Amino acid sequence: MGIVKGPLVQKASVEANVRCRSKRRNARSLHRQICSRAVALALGLAVWTLGGWYGVARAQTSSDSFSTPLAAAPDVVAKQADVDYDNYRFRDGETLARLRLHYATLGSPHRNPHGDIDNTVLVLHWTGSGGSALSTPEYLKALFDPGRPLDARRYYLIFPDNLGHGNSSKPSDGMRTNFPHYGYDDLVDLQHKLVTETLGVKHLHAILGMSMGGMHAWQWAEAYPDAMDGVMPVVSLPVKVSGRNLLWRRMAIADIRNDPDWQGGNYTKEPRGFVQGYQLLRMMIDGVPHLQAIISDGKAADAFMASAAQQIASADANDLLYSLESSRDYDPESGLSKIKTKLLALNFSDDEFNPDMLQILQLLMPRVPDGHYVVQKDTPESVGHLTMAHPSLWLTTCEIS
């Protein structure tokens, strides 16, 4: 997704313009120690803390510069399943006669001497996608293959499709605007119901969430402070959606609702405003330096817009509207001091969704008793918010010395 080909060279930000080789080694070592400690805390990778050290993965990631965060290659490894919840009631009182929640799993549950499953990791996807986006070959190779941080031979990995996404119940199934107006709290409620009631997991080893999934990870840590050993939200902030992040959402929503073809949600063809709204979204989630590099003239800009339009061709306007509006109840800031679990927040300096210039993590993380954060500096290969989709660009992995 918007990757410029080339090896990743992670530069520590400890000291600018360091020329002395020994100082460069010290800076890289300090960066590794910070990331190592935080990732070990968040994901409990104790097996790799013995006799080894962590470094930044150096890998080449090749992809189309205009690829999409919505589509994902079919997953041929994870086990797919559905669960139905009848007469499900949402927090606002709306109900759904039969709510279908799709999910996938990798690995097998391990039980401790008390018979409880003790190796579960909940992996949460971003807006407009599904669990399959986090079990693609790229994610498998970087995170879940043998020897990787979340080796599926050791961990029981759960990938839910959130309500309104993927193969779970959503407006485009037929209800359209009569579908319940779910919020993020409802999505977290359903994740918890899936984990505890359907799959019988009393305690999670960890939660790893991307973007919207990262926001849900913050919510989990507050709502269920004793339910996990560690949490790692990626490209998210523990504050309500506001500023430019809220503005672009409202603009995209207006593009759809104000289009005559929308017809109050009962359209016979996808509104043109839907395409325009997604083009805005696609620009916002990319990196400013990356876009500057790949869009040098009008022809390149037109190609980017055409690619975005093609990406959204099989999606649905009501589904996107619901997913964008569902963040309205997200506001974890006041509850940060209640978080008991170990937490590592990972953001990127070129992420325009969550601008580091606002210094929100720096200001708020001291409220989290065992909270840590890393803001990874942008590189020629990074692509802003979309860097989340390429774990080889941000994963800290074990290098045995």
Side-chain angles (χ1 to χ4, degrees):
M1 296 180 186
I3 301 297
V4 178
K5 296 181 181 179
L8 170 64
V9 179
Q10 175 65 38
K11 296 182 180 178
S13 59
V14 177
E15 184 174 343
N17 299 320
V18 178
R19 298 178 184 232
C20 175
R21 181 174 299 176
S22 63
K23 288 186 178 181
R24 286 200 302 266
R25 284 199 300 267
N26 289 339
R28 288 194 297 267
S29 176
L30 177 57
H31 181 78
R32 283 194 298 266
Q33 291 170 21
I34 294 170
C35 291
S36 168
R37 181 168 178 266
V39 172
L41 287 170
L43 299 180
L45 306 179
V47 69
W48 281 4
T49 64
L50 302 176
W53 53 274
Y54 288 77
V56 175
R58 290 175 173 86
Q60 289 189 354
T61 303
S62 300
S63 68
D64 185 344
S65 292
F66 302 145
S67 58
T68 170
L70 301 183
D75 176 29
V76 296
V77 179
K79 298 177 182 178
Q80 308 291 326
D82 293 292
V83 59
D84 293 330
Y85 300 125
D86 291 337
N87 301 313
Y88 188 83
R89 181 175 294 275
F90 294 82
R91 292 200 178 195
D92 66 357
E94 292 183 276
T95 60
L96 192 58
R98 172 157 291 187
L99 188 154
R100 180 184 69 257
L101 202 64
H102 182 80
Y103 65 97
T105 60
L106 276 173
S108 301
H110 174 271
R111 296 186 181 272
N112 63 21
H114 301 289
D116 297 327
I117 300 172
D118 62 1
N119 66 331
T120 304
V121 178
L122 183 63
V123 189
L124 302 173
H125 66 80
W126 52 79
T127 300
S129 190
S132 62
L134 301 176
S135 55
T136 60
E138 183 171 356
Y139 261 90
L140 289 170
K141 182 178 180 181
L143 284 174
F144 311 126
D145 271 358
R148 307 311 291 169
L150 295 176
D151 187 335
R153 299 173 305 175
R154 298 183 58 233
Y155 296 102
Y156 180 45
L157 302 149
I158 303 173
F159 305 84
D161 284 1
N162 280 304
L163 182 73
H165 296 73
N167 292 314
S168 293
S169 296
K170 51 186 178 291
S172 61
D173 290 342
M175 293 185 68
R176 297 195 171 194
T177 55
N178 291 318
F179 196 81
H181 294 79
Y182 62 86
Y184 274 15
D185 286 337
D186 293 308
L187 300 185
V188 172
D189 288 346
L190 284 164
Q191 294 163 10
H192 186 262
K193 187 176 182 69
L194 171 68
V195 168
T196 59
E197 297 182 19
T198 302
L199 298 176
V201 178
K202 298 179 181 178
H203 187 87
L204 291 166
H205 183 65
I207 298 176
L208 173 64
M210 307 291 164
S211 192
M212 177 180 70
M215 297 160 80
H216 294 167
W218 286 104
Q219 291 178 283
W220 264 87
E222 291 186 4
Y224 309 105
D226 299 308
M228 74 292 291
D229 296 330
V231 170
M232 185 173 178
V234 179
V235 289
S236 64
L237 293 172
V239 294
K240 67 179 181 180
V241 176
S242 57
R244 184 162 54 179
N245 197 349
L246 177 60
L247 184 60
W248 81 261
R249 292 169 189 262
R250 302 300 297 176
M251 292 170 67
I253 290 168
D255 280 342
I256 298 172
R257 292 192 186 279
N258 295 335
D259 191 316
D261 291 337
W262 188 59
Q263 299 182 23
N266 297 309
Y267 42 84
T268 56
K269 61 180 180 179
E270 292 295 340
R272 289 169 293 178
F274 176 45
V275 175
Q276 295 167 349
Y278 180 71
Q279 289 170 332
L280 174 63
L281 161 67
R282 186 60 187 80
M283 178 187 71
M284 283 294 299
I285 59 180
D286 213 316
V288 172
H290 178 249
L291 289 177
Q292 188 69 24
I294 66 171
I295 301 181
S296 58
D297 53 30
K299 182 178 180 180
D302 290 342
F304 182 92
M305 295 170 63
S307 177
Q310 185 177 12
Q311 292 163 17
I312 205 70
S314 61
D316 181 81
N318 282 327
D319 289 348
L320 180 63
L321 277 176
Y322 269 74
S323 65
L324 292 178
E325 292 179 335
S326 64
S327 63
R328 62 188 175 275
D329 61 353
Y330 177 74
D331 188 7
E333 182 176 353
S334 63
L336 294 176
S337 62
K338 301 176 183 177
I339 296 176
K340 297 180 182 179
T341 192
K342 304 175 183 69
L343 184 146
L344 165 68
L346 172 64
N347 280 8
F348 309 121
S349 66
D350 59 344
D351 179 5
E352 294 300 311
F353 257 23
N354 305 294
D356 186 50
M357 68 182 298
L358 299 178
Q359 297 286 283
I360 290 174
L361 285 180
Q362 292 83 343
L363 291 170
L364 296 183
M365 193 60 76
R367 300 185 191 176
V368 182
D370 202 354
H372 310 264
Y373 71 90
V374 174
V375 178
Q376 179 171 298
K377 184 172 172 29
D378 61 284
T379 71
E381 293 80 19
S382 60
V383 283
H385 195 77
L386 270 180
T387 304
M388 67 179 175
H390 301 287
S392 61
L393 296 179
W394 50 263
L395 176 68
T396 54
T397 187
C398 182
E399 297 181 8
I400 301 300
S401 57

